[in-house]
Amino acid sequence: MEISHKIYLVDDDAFFLQLLQMQLNDVVNNAKITSFTSGESLIEALKNEKPDLIVLDYFLDKENPYAMDGSQTLDKIKSINAEQKVIMLSGQDNFKVVDHLFEQGVLDYVIKDEFAFNTLKEKIKKMI
């Protein structure tokens, strides 16, 4: 089976990442979905591959309080590839933060709530 899309998922919650990957595998055919638990590990991977889409969590410091957050990671992503498609995923509901993320170049923003998986699946289907 030929891989048609590469999607990177970034969240510091490994259990949430597993659930999200299972949900997306049901929706996105022929996709290679790769998960990362830190912005730093994502940035390292971007040196070798260019995904079609990155789903990036805003809070990435559960395990390491000094880890880059989603905004810092987004800046690094955009410095590597200004055209990279990124959807931010977070429980963050501060509109100033959300506005800033759009100014940084996210294509969309999904709030982590009971509808997050379905919302994200629909947005990803439309983007790829």
Side-chain angles (χ1 to χ4, degrees):
M1 177 171 62
E2 186 177 321
I3 300 206
S4 59
H5 299 289
K6 291 179 191 167
I7 301 173
Y8 284 2
L9 309 177
V10 188
D11 198 302
D12 60 344
D13 183 334
F15 180 70
F16 182 83
L17 273 176
Q18 280 185 310
L19 290 175
L20 182 56
Q21 189 160 354
M22 286 188 317
Q23 291 282 322
L24 293 179
N25 280 332
D26 291 342
V27 174
V28 186
N29 296 328
N30 302 333
K32 178 184 178 191
I33 301 174
T34 306
S35 297
F36 302 90
T37 56
S38 72
E40 289 83 355
S41 60
L42 166 74
I43 297 305
E44 195 60 36
L46 290 178
K47 293 176 182 176
N48 301 316
E49 279 194 39
K50 180 182 179 263
D52 298 295
L53 177 66
I54 298 171
V55 178
L56 176 64
D57 185 32
Y58 182 78
F59 293 109
L60 294 171
D61 59 358
K62 182 191 283 185
E63 298 296 322
N64 177 359
Y66 303 106
M68 290 190 303
D69 67 17
S71 179
Q72 294 165 320
T73 303
L74 180 61
D75 279 342
K76 295 230 185 235
I77 292 167
K78 292 298 185 171
S79 73
I80 293 168
N81 177 5
E83 302 301 314
Q84 179 64 62
K85 293 179 183 177
V86 179
I87 297 176
M88 189 67 71
L89 177 67
S90 181
Q92 174 64 253
D93 60 359
N94 180 327
F95 290 110
K96 286 184 179 182
V97 171
V98 175
D99 282 345
H100 180 70
L101 293 170
F102 277 106
E103 289 171 7
Q104 286 179 270
V106 298
L107 286 182
D108 216 328
Y109 187 87
V110 175
I111 293 176
K112 276 187 185 176
D113 60 14
E114 65 269 18
F115 307 109
F117 287 136
N118 288 334
T119 302
L120 196 53
K121 287 191 292 188
E122 290 304 313
K123 291 180 183 291
I124 289 173
K125 281 197 291 189
K126 288 178 184 174
M127 283 188 180
I128 58 174

